[in-house]
Amino acid sequence: AQSVTQLGSHVSVSEGALVLLRCNYSSSVPPYLFWYVQYPNQGLQLLLKYTTGATLVKGINGFEAEFKKSETSFHLTKPSAHMSDAAEYFCAVSAEGNTPLVFGKGTRLSVIA
Amino acid sequence: DSGVTQTPKHLITATGQRVTLRCSPRSGDLSVYWYQQSLDQGLQFLIHYYNGEERAKGNILERFSAQQFPDLHSELNLSSLELGDSALYFCASSVSGILTSSGNTIYFGEGSWLTVV
């Protein structure tokens, strides 16, 4: 079975500061990893995904994530936070892409002016 | 706009009642997934249908059932509702049930807010 742990239910950063949202996964088979963002009163929007190949994945809105197998991690980063980045972020895993997504509990990102 | 349409957006009902949530997937998508989002449980996978057939079941209660129709829309039926069933119910769709590197992605609707009073 797969599982995802997101460290920190709430992260607060200053505008222009680095954003780092942590995600660790557990999977007995090669994982497919995803980051989704949820803005208030909206559905989930895909930010980026890792399936195979290059371990550094670039997504929308300047976000990127790096798959580190040795650390079972898939942390999400953005060099400079913008006020519009304030939202809930979810990391998810699928076993080899053959199983439905299993989500972490989510991390709420606040951006302070 | 993801292209996944869910109705109703908001629903308030009493304990013991039954409701039906409807989902229209993106054009061309054969897979439909249902998720429940609550404060205490987070995002929980309920069930997956592919081209009308059930593919996988998650933490779906026996009081809940779902189906996918020939036109590929799906319905989630919730019966004997309890206060704890209050949640945001998401439908998602993808072209197939396999998230290959060729670009198959799961797209989420905006959800149906269910409040049980």
Side-chain angles (χ1 to χ4, degrees):
Chain A
Q2 302 78 47
S3 66
V4 171
T5 302
Q6 291 184 240
L7 296 175
S9 59
H10 184 207
V11 170
S12 185
V13 300
S14 298
E15 192 174 18
L18 171 71
V19 175
L20 171 61
L21 304 182
R22 299 177 187 275
C23 170
N24 288 89
Y25 70 90
S26 173
S27 178
S28 56
V29 298
Y32 281 26
L33 295 159
F34 304 78
W35 276 99
Y36 280 83
V37 61
Q38 184 180 25
Y39 297 101
N41 301 315
Q42 293 187 29
L44 280 78
Q45 179 184 5
L46 180 67
L47 274 178
L48 49 80
K49 65 179 180 182
Y50 167 80
T51 54
T52 58
T55 56
L56 181 62
V57 180
K58 294 186 186 299
I60 62 171
N61 301 338
F63 285 94
E64 63 182 36
E66 186 171 11
F67 169 61
K68 292 187 177 181
K69 184 178 178 181
S70 61
E71 299 177 8
T72 62
S73 69
F74 190 58
H75 301 331
L76 182 71
T77 61
K78 181 175 180 178
S80 177
H82 192 272
M83 298 297 288
S84 61
D85 294 327
E88 187 93 17
Y89 291 80
F90 293 91
C91 182
V93 64
S94 170
E96 293 181 305
N98 292 328
T99 60
L101 298 179
V102 173
F103 285 87
K105 295 282 190 185
T107 297
R108 183 163 60 93
L109 175 67
S110 297
V111 182
I112 304 167
Chain B
D1 183 4
S2 67
V4 179
T5 303
Q6 291 187 246
T7 57
K9 292 195 185 304
H10 298 275
L11 187 58
I12 301 175
T13 190
T15 54
Q17 295 299 304
R18 172 190 169 95
V19 299
T20 297
L21 308 180
R22 181 188 169 99
C23 170
S24 294
R26 296 171 73 236
S27 177
D29 284 0
L30 300 178
S31 267
V32 169
Y33 307 81
W34 285 97
Y35 283 83
Q36 179 195 58
Q37 185 180 32
S38 61
L39 281 175
D40 52 345
Q41 297 291 328
L43 265 164
Q44 296 283 315
F45 165 66
L46 296 179
I47 199 162
H48 170 211
Y49 276 85
Y50 176 76
N51 203 21
E53 295 198 3
E54 182 184 305
R55 275 291 180 89
K57 255 186 178 178
N59 300 319
I60 188 166
L61 300 173
E62 285 193 12
R63 300 183 285 108
F64 296 1
S65 65
Q67 53 184 328
Q68 185 179 28
F69 295 87
D71 67 351
L72 301 177
H73 91 272
S74 177
E75 292 181 355
L76 179 66
N77 301 295
L78 315 175
S79 62
S80 302
L81 285 167
E82 302 174 0
L83 295 178
D85 297 327
S86 296
L88 180 57
Y89 291 85
F90 282 113
C91 171
S93 74
S94 64
V95 171
S96 78
I98 300 175
L99 306 174
T100 65
S101 58
S102 63
N104 187 27
T105 298
I106 295 180
Y107 294 89
F108 281 77
E110 296 192 352
S112 292
W113 277 103
L114 172 65
T115 302
V116 183
V117 297

